[in-house]
Amino acid sequence: MARKTANDDPLAPLTLAVGQEELLLDRAVREVVAAARAADADTDVRDLTPDQLQPGTLAELTSPSLFAERKVVVVRAAQDLSADTVKDVKAYLASPAEEITLVLLHAGGAKGKGLLDAARKAGAREVACPKMTKPADRLAFVRGEFRGLGRSATPEACQALVDAIGSDLRELASAVSQLVADVEGTIDEAVVARYYTGRAEASSFTVADRAVEGRAAEALEALRWSLATGVAPVLITSALAQGVRAIGKLSSARGGRPADLARELGMPPWKIDRVRQQMRGWTPDGVAVALRAVAEADAGVKGGGDDPEYALEKAVVTIARAARSRGRG
């Protein structure tokens, strides 16, 4: 879930949403708009991209109104604003208008950092919206979604849902909402399996798991099913990359308990156990070959080739062969 600063009033003069997780950024905006419209049903909302916010535009939008109407001004991708517009925003931060809430969405990082620093110095209410790249983060997100909706789900059910849906937070949130609406009582693993077994079998992570286990035929079958059900090729290359990198990281790590390795490698303990089973048959050379195959497939699905499906099939076969490189002469 998005993390907030101590100032948690959505009607604060300035809200700063920082990160690259689109779902959380959109939720930060919706929270402010909902609070403003609860205070004044006629609140005017202006949602702007950098090309729409030209020098002078902010001054026009925030100028006093004869009707003293409440207004929410949303600026997306604030890190991409022009230098002149940034000057306008900084000047506004020094003297914000009454009845107006400014919402800046900023990706974070070095680009546009001057504006980010100025907003924080001005006392912005900050909402952290980081990209959730780790399975543990997505698992915590799912648990938070169930809690937020006032429902109980077992740890196994939450993990099964993440395994089935993958990394898309919008789809995870939608799945939680559907389960809460359709199922009474505690949601367990059997319920998730009943709703999402097909998705789990077709997921990008299933493709990756079968490939790194050296099960080429099953990996290709899962790949074709995934593509047929609309899984984006870029998600499959991402899952393949995660699977191969996990093999490489664990094979080069010192031995130890799953909990210790989890802290060292940034993986949840359950993932350590799974990767240990998958890494039989792998060699350092095999990992290198597989990583090159993933890189080539990634380029192929992002416009570098004419046939993304072929690029993925080639990568899957190469990875499955690399998984059986130990013992081959």
Side-chain angles (χ1 to χ4, degrees), residues 38 43 46 51 135 154-155 208 218 245 255 266 271 310 313 318 324:
T43 294
R46 303 296 179 93
D51 61 306
T154 66
E218 294 176 43
R245 287 183 190 133
K271 184 70 175 287
Y310 172 74
E313 288 182 355
T318 301
R324 298 186 176 278

Side-chain angles (χ1 to χ4, degrees), residues 50-249:
D51 61 306
Q52 295 172 313
L53 194 65
Q54 299 298 318
T57 304
L58 184 62
E60 293 177 10
L61 292 173
T62 57
S63 59
S65 168
L66 292 175
F67 304 101
E69 63 181 358
R70 181 177 291 277
K71 187 179 293 185
V72 174
V73 178
V74 180
V75 180
R76 296 185 182 270
Q79 72 279 356
D80 294 330
L81 292 173
S82 69
D84 288 338
T85 303
V86 168
K87 290 179 182 178
D88 287 353
V89 176
K90 288 182 177 179
Y92 175 80
L93 296 179
S95 181
E98 292 185 11
E99 301 298 312
I100 292 179
T101 298
L102 177 63
V103 184
L104 297 178
L105 275 56
H106 195 292
K111 188 177 183 181
K113 189 173 184 299
L115 179 57
L116 195 62
D117 292 342
R120 286 168 172 161
K121 187 176 180 180
R125 165 185 178 258
E126 186 167 344
V127 182
C129 306
K131 198 76 176 174
M132 295 191 182
T133 58
K134 297 179 180 179
D137 293 337
R138 294 191 286 272
L139 185 59
F141 172 80
V142 167
R143 289 170 175 162
E145 290 292 289
F146 279 117
R147 283 196 302 270
L149 293 172
R151 293 295 298 277
S152 176
T154 66
E156 294 79 11
C158 294
Q159 184 64 63
L161 197 59
V162 171
D163 289 342
I165 301 299
S167 61
D168 191 313
L169 288 201
R170 292 185 189 279
E171 292 195 24
L172 284 169
S174 176
V176 170
S177 296
Q178 180 180 355
L179 289 169
V180 167
D182 293 354
V183 179
E184 296 182 357
T186 298
I187 295 165
D188 58 20
E189 189 175 11
V191 170
V192 174
R194 187 165 71 246
Y195 273 73
Y196 294 103
T197 294
R199 281 296 302 273
E201 292 171 353
S203 76
S204 54
F205 290 102
T206 300
V207 178
D209 284 342
R210 298 297 85 79
V212 300
E213 290 161 4
R215 297 154 65 179
E218 294 176 43
L220 287 171
E221 181 181 358
L223 171 64
R224 290 162 188 155
W225 193 359
S226 295
L227 294 172
T229 55
V231 176
V234 69
L235 294 181
I236 299 174
T237 56
S238 175
L240 290 171
Q242 290 182 47
V244 175
R245 287 183 190 133
I247 297 287
K249 288 168 70 174

